[in-house]
Amino acid sequence: MDLIKLSEPEFQVDNLAAFQCALLNKEVGYVGTYIEEFKSLLGDYLNVGNLGLFSSGTSSIHLALLAIGIEPGDEVICQSLTFAASANPISYLGANPVFVGSETSTWNMDPDFLEEAIIDRKNKGKRVRAIIPVHLYGMPARIKEIVAIGEKYGIPVIEDAAEALGSFTAEGMCGAFGDFGILSFNANKIITTGGGGALITKDKLVLEKACFFALQAKDPAPHYEHSRLGYNYAFSNLNSVLGVQQFGDIEGKINRRRRAFNHYFERLSAIEYISFQKGIIGDFSNRWLTSILLPDASTVNELKQYLERNHIETRPVWKPMHIQPLYKNCAYYGDDFEVSLFEKGICLPSGSGLTIDQLERTSQAILDFCRHV
């Protein structure tokens, strides 16, 4: 029996002409025609003018923090329910993460807890320099409210849309709301280039500053001159070839992810103790990963083991950052709702390459399990 994977990359491998062209032109570094084409496709799709390609979503967050001027001892407010890559770049710079809990509709940063955190940190004499909300599993956060709070207190927003390419609200595309937006093209994302990410900014000069740091901070000179610490965060033309090819089917990839969610919802929502990540009416989620909630952690563990025996891959919902060993001593503002999501949640196979038979096999296995709980 074949393994049904959580989020397997989906490629069209019948056309290698673009790779051959890049190789023949010796465009395999961080300069090349496909880099420019991929940037143009992304910029037009998101309706943004300033977008740079870098080695990962993590490096893009790091570059955004560098562009803001984050220094040791500064504080950066970050969503607690996320992957460590959202928070780690804060620590790279010697700054201190402050974590904010989630609200129930989107599972993303709660604007009320965010404002509470800002006010309390300022009252304690702390220097809050940035806010990092996340569009978890492709679900748009209450981003308009979060950006408004950032503007109210003069704090830049770095919008982590690593999982949310193609998601949007009535006001625009995810990744294009904040002072900065972050995308990821890791192997399990909507579009993959094997690795890589993007940084979106509202200021061309800020993007130029990020590019400066990403290419080893080389000062203008006929020789290699360095007055600032730089990084090797370049994105190659060969990665861009794959990105351009993938982009041709972006709507299809999103629709197939949403098809997976709709299938699970239709088949499983009748079970009274199973619930789903809902979102806000009118918002559009790419449904990068479909997650369900069960009554308790023991049921989750039993279901995970049952699905493993049936060759179906799952993952837990992200463990919140404020209960991770690395960050357990950081300040936190929330009610631990996201801890219950971690304990009771499980992510189901959601890749755009899944067949109807694979979706049916997964949902039927869950139904069979539930009959014996």
Side-chain angles (χ1 to χ4, degrees):
M1 186 181 296
D2 292 339
L3 175 66
I4 299 177
K5 294 187 178 181
L6 184 76
S7 183
E8 190 173 30
E10 183 190 27
F11 301 112
Q12 294 176 334
V13 296
D14 56 342
N15 183 6
L16 300 179
F19 287 99
Q20 293 172 335
C21 179
L23 292 171
L24 287 171
N25 291 330
K26 298 181 174 58
E27 292 183 336
V28 297
Y30 61 85
V31 177
T33 54
Y34 284 97
I35 287 179
E36 297 307 314
E37 183 176 358
F38 190 34
K39 285 197 294 187
S40 178
L41 287 169
L42 286 166
D44 290 347
Y45 183 73
L46 297 170
N47 193 27
V48 296
N50 302 301
L51 182 147
L53 295 172
F54 302 104
S55 59
S56 66
T58 311
S59 64
S60 299
I61 294 175
H62 188 196
L63 291 168
L65 294 170
L66 283 167
I68 290 170
I70 301 298
E71 298 176 348
D74 288 345
E75 293 193 338
V76 176
I77 295 176
C78 182
Q79 184 165 311
S80 183
L81 188 62
T82 185
F83 181 49
S86 302
N88 286 348
I90 302 168
S91 298
Y92 295 171
L93 295 169
N96 300 315
V98 173
F99 294 108
V100 166
S102 297
E103 44 84 17
T104 58
S105 59
T106 70
W107 301 3
N108 291 314
M109 183 179 282
D110 187 315
D112 294 332
F113 288 136
L114 169 61
E115 188 157 25
E116 177 188 332
I118 293 171
I119 293 170
D120 189 58
R121 302 318 290 174
K122 286 183 176 291
N123 288 340
K124 287 181 166 63
K126 305 298 183 179
R127 192 178 183 216
V128 179
R129 298 291 313 283
I131 302 166
I132 305 178
V134 182
H135 301 294
L136 189 78
Y137 301 143
M139 178 62 68
R142 288 164 60 180
I143 191 64
K144 188 176 179 181
E145 296 170 64
I146 292 168
V147 169
I149 290 170
E151 291 174 348
K152 177 179 178 180
Y153 294 97
I155 304 173
V157 172
I158 302 171
E159 186 186 354
D160 186 342
E163 301 170 0
L165 181 61
S167 299
F168 58 84
T169 75
E171 288 80 23
M173 303 294 289
C174 291
F177 287 93
D179 300 273
F180 300 86
I182 305 298
L183 301 175
S184 171
F185 311 117
N186 199 18
N188 58 5
K189 296 300 190 293
I190 293 286
I191 281 182
T192 179
T193 59
L199 173 63
I200 302 159
T201 78
K202 297 189 182 303
D203 188 327
K204 183 179 179 181
L205 294 179
V206 170
L207 181 60
E208 290 176 357
K209 184 177 182 181
C211 292
F212 169 76
F213 284 116
L215 298 176
Q216 300 288 15
K218 292 179 285 190
D219 294 332
H223 55 276
Y224 292 108
E225 184 82 9
H226 303 274
S227 57
R228 303 287 302 275
L229 179 65
Y231 305 87
N232 183 11
Y233 286 163
F235 186 83
S236 87
N237 192 59
L238 288 180
N239 291 112
S240 295
V241 172
L242 189 55
V244 170
Q245 288 190 336
Q246 292 258 300
F247 206 90
D249 188 36
I250 185 170
E251 296 301 335
K253 291 177 181 294
I254 291 170
N255 289 338
R256 290 190 290 278
R257 298 265 178 170
R258 289 174 57 83
R259 180 186 68 180
F261 170 82
N262 291 332
H263 179 94
Y264 292 133
F265 188 83
E266 290 171 4
R267 295 285 275 126
L268 304 177
S269 58
I271 300 173
E272 61 181 4
Y273 56 78
I274 289 182
S275 60
F276 291 78
Q277 185 183 18
K278 294 178 181 178
I280 298 170
I281 295 174
D283 287 354
F284 180 92
S285 171
N286 65 16
R287 295 292 181 181
W288 175 64
L289 285 185
T290 295
S291 302
I292 59 173
L293 296 181
L294 296 167
D296 49 55
S298 62
T299 305
V300 170
N301 189 52
E302 290 171 10
L303 175 59
K304 183 179 188 300
Q305 293 179 15
Y306 181 82
L307 294 176
E308 283 178 356
R309 291 194 297 271
N310 285 274
H311 304 281
I312 298 169
E313 186 178 39
T314 63
R315 287 287 186 277
V317 167
W318 297 124
K319 182 176 181 179
M321 289 296 103
H322 77 279
I323 61 171
Q324 293 280 359
L326 179 63
Y327 293 120
K328 64 181 180 180
N329 295 322
C330 293
Y332 165 75
Y333 296 82
D335 59 5
D336 280 337
F337 169 67
E338 62 279 1
V339 176
S340 71
L341 293 176
F342 164 62
E343 292 172 344
K344 300 177 183 179
I346 186 169
C347 299
L348 304 179
S350 306
S352 54
L354 290 174
T355 66
I356 293 295
D357 287 345
Q358 289 173 317
L359 292 171
E360 179 59 27
R361 188 176 124 199
T362 302
S363 57
Q364 187 59 53
I366 296 171
L367 290 169
D368 293 341
F369 169 84
C370 291
R371 291 192 183 99
H372 298 93
V373 173

